[in-house]
Amino acid sequence: FVVVGVVLAWRRRKFQRELRTKLAALKDEARAQGFLGNPDVIAHSFGTWLFGHLLEDELKRNEADRLQFGRVILAGCILRPNFNWKNVREAHLVEDVLNHYGTADRVVPLAHVTIVESGPSGRRGFDGDQVLNIQAVGFGHSDLFSIKKHDEKGLTYLANSYQKYWRPFLTLPSEELAVLPDRKDPEQLWRQFPWPLRGTLFPFLALPLVLTVSCLLAAWIFAPLWGWRTPLLDFVGITA
């Protein structure tokens, strides 16, 4: 069911609308409490897709109706590496953007063939000069948030991510962000797969598979009850 929610276009749009509603409500609450700045955002995996496409939709709104955000941290990102951050930033929808990507992320490369308008930016970085690409060598899809794995200093991966990269990114002036360590931009521009392999055909293949698996699972769960059909029918007949 998670797969269906991700690959079906109408479900993605529904999630995107719900995200915008929640973010708008949270921003109103913050302003009511006296916090007037734009909120920073940390997004992971499918959340990066939702947030990125929300920003693209904001560009289509009247300027007065747009949501605006502060600095953005992306991890396990599945947005296209050629995502137009320049337009988003020039419209003042976000400030600075950090893309923290793991070189051993096995989930991100699958996005381009399963979800429309996605790509492996969380495995190789964004093209251009609009995003700070930070490379985490040997890290998997969610390792940056791990509290079970530790680095050579004994810090959890999450603590290391925050102390070494995310806190400086969120607090330093923009002109000093270039000092962040482990920056690594792509050496070549990204090239998309052919049209049928860009998440275009996958939903039509995935939905029948999910329905088949669901039916088999239901049959396996309810099969033991079939043996009780005769006693249950007899009991119903007696009570009637």
Side-chain angles (χ1 to χ4, degrees), residues 8-159:
L8 294 182
W10 68 271
R11 289 286 292 171
R12 292 197 301 270
R13 300 299 295 181
K14 179 176 182 293
F15 291 151
Q16 190 175 322
R17 290 193 299 269
E18 291 175 349
L19 175 62
R20 190 186 191 282
T21 299
K22 291 179 180 179
L23 290 175
L26 288 172
K27 192 166 186 177
D28 289 341
E29 291 177 12
R31 286 183 174 176
Q33 297 177 19
F35 299 99
L36 303 181
N38 293 324
D40 299 321
V41 174
I42 298 178
H44 175 249
S45 196
F46 185 55
T48 64
W49 189 97
L50 291 175
F51 183 70
H53 287 80
L54 179 151
L55 292 174
E56 287 186 328
D57 283 354
E58 293 303 298
L59 290 172
K60 304 172 187 176
R61 294 176 178 270
N62 294 327
E63 190 170 343
D65 298 329
R66 295 174 180 173
L67 292 178
Q68 294 179 308
F69 303 92
R71 294 183 177 179
V72 177
I73 296 173
L74 307 171
C77 185
I78 61 170
L79 288 171
R80 304 182 313 276
N82 61 358
F83 185 85
N84 199 337
W85 286 108
K86 188 173 188 294
N87 282 359
V88 171
R89 296 186 66 191
E90 286 180 349
H92 305 292
L93 298 184
V94 302
E95 297 172 12
D96 299 292
V97 182
L98 184 152
N99 178 45
H100 205 167
Y101 67 95
T103 60
D105 193 322
R106 298 180 180 179
V107 175
V108 163
L110 300 176
H112 190 40
V113 297
T114 57
I115 304 173
V116 173
E117 291 294 308
S118 65
S121 53
R123 177 70 178 261
R124 45 92 74 193
F126 284 97
D127 295 331
D129 60 356
Q130 297 296 310
V131 174
L132 294 168
N133 291 305
I134 302 293
Q135 185 184 74
V137 177
F139 277 55
H141 188 56
S142 300
D143 283 348
L144 292 168
F145 299 94
S146 176
I147 58 174
K148 295 181 180 180
K149 297 181 179 181
H150 297 76
D151 64 9
E152 66 278 0
K153 297 181 180 179
L155 290 175
T156 65
Y157 280 8
L158 176 59

Side-chain angles (χ1 to χ4, degrees), residues 138-199:
F139 277 55
H141 188 56
S142 300
D143 283 348
L144 292 168
F145 299 94
S146 176
I147 58 174
K148 295 181 180 180
K149 297 181 179 181
H150 297 76
D151 64 9
E152 66 278 0
K153 297 181 180 179
L155 290 175
T156 65
Y157 280 8
L158 176 59
N160 178 70
S161 300
Y162 176 72
Q163 295 181 20
K164 189 174 181 179
Y165 306 100
W166 300 351
R167 182 170 62 186
F169 171 75
L170 293 172
T171 56
L172 288 174
S174 293
E175 58 272 16
E176 296 181 20
L177 295 180
V179 303
L180 290 176
D182 300 320
R183 292 186 59 186
K184 179 69 174 178
D185 295 325
E187 297 179 358
Q188 297 179 338
L189 294 178
W190 177 64
R191 296 181 61 184
Q192 298 189 73
F193 287 155
W195 177 81
L197 301 179
R198 299 178 193 170

